[in-house]
Amino acid sequence: MPTTQFSIGRDCQLVVMGPAGRVDLTYVTAFESRQLTTPVRIDRLDGVPMAADLPKGWEGSFEVERGSSEVDDFIAAAEAAYFAGGNLPVGALYQYVNEVDGSTSTYQYDGVVFKLANAGTWKGDAAVKQKLEFWASTRVRI
């Protein structure tokens, strides 16, 4: 149930599906996504400009406080599959948003490739923050 009259971070949950199944992310602390587009601009002979922005996928990232080896193992398995002569595996990402009216919106990102942008800084008496970036071919509401 939402806690305010507008969306806040705790209203969102993420589920990552890799080639081997669900990847349980411990302690997700941030998530962002953005649509990628390619602009097309035309100037008609009558002087009226026209425009379109063609969809070219989605990209984003999430930050995780490392609570297990799950993210490291997920990326290591993808890298091992590539170096064993296979293709880079793709996955899916699901975002669940608790809306202020009590409903839930679900978005599915397809054809997702992941990159461990930061495996973490290890130092005494500090949490290890990791950053996982992604690119997806599409995002649809389901």
Side-chain angles (χ1 to χ4, degrees):
M1 185 71 171
T3 58
T4 65
Q5 295 302 308
F6 50 88
S7 294
I8 60 173
R10 68 171 49 182
D11 293 336
C12 175
Q13 295 176 351
L14 302 172
V15 174
V16 172
M17 297 299 292
R22 183 180 171 139
V23 179
D24 291 315
L25 303 171
T26 54
Y27 314 126
V28 176
T29 58
F31 173 71
E32 69 173 330
S33 67
R34 63 196 149 276
Q35 183 186 33
L36 301 173
T37 61
T38 296
V40 177
R41 306 292 186 253
I42 8 179
D43 291 318
R44 295 184 349 196
L45 289 178
D46 63 3
V48 176
M50 297 177 69
D53 279 295
L54 307 178
K56 294 295 181 183
W58 285 77
E59 68 180 4
S61 65
F62 36 98
E63 294 178 0
V64 178
E65 295 293 339
R66 191 178 191 279
S68 72
S69 66
E70 193 80 24
V71 170
D72 294 287
D73 295 345
F74 170 59
I75 295 300
E79 188 175 355
Y82 173 75
F83 284 116
N87 294 324
L88 278 174
V90 296
L93 174 63
Y94 296 89
Q95 178 186 16
Y96 301 94
V97 179
N98 295 325
E99 302 293 356
V100 296
D101 65 2
S103 66
T104 300
S105 297
T106 304
Y107 299 96
Q108 178 178 328
Y109 296 79
D110 285 316
V112 182
V113 291
F114 294 94
K115 168 182 148 181
L116 188 55
N118 188 338
T121 300
W122 297 76
K123 58 185 177 180
D125 296 333
V128 177
K129 183 179 292 292
Q130 297 180 313
K131 185 173 186 177
L132 201 56
E133 295 178 344
F134 70 91
W135 179 90
S137 57
T138 60
R139 181 184 93 150
V140 296
R141 183 176 173 138
I142 55 174

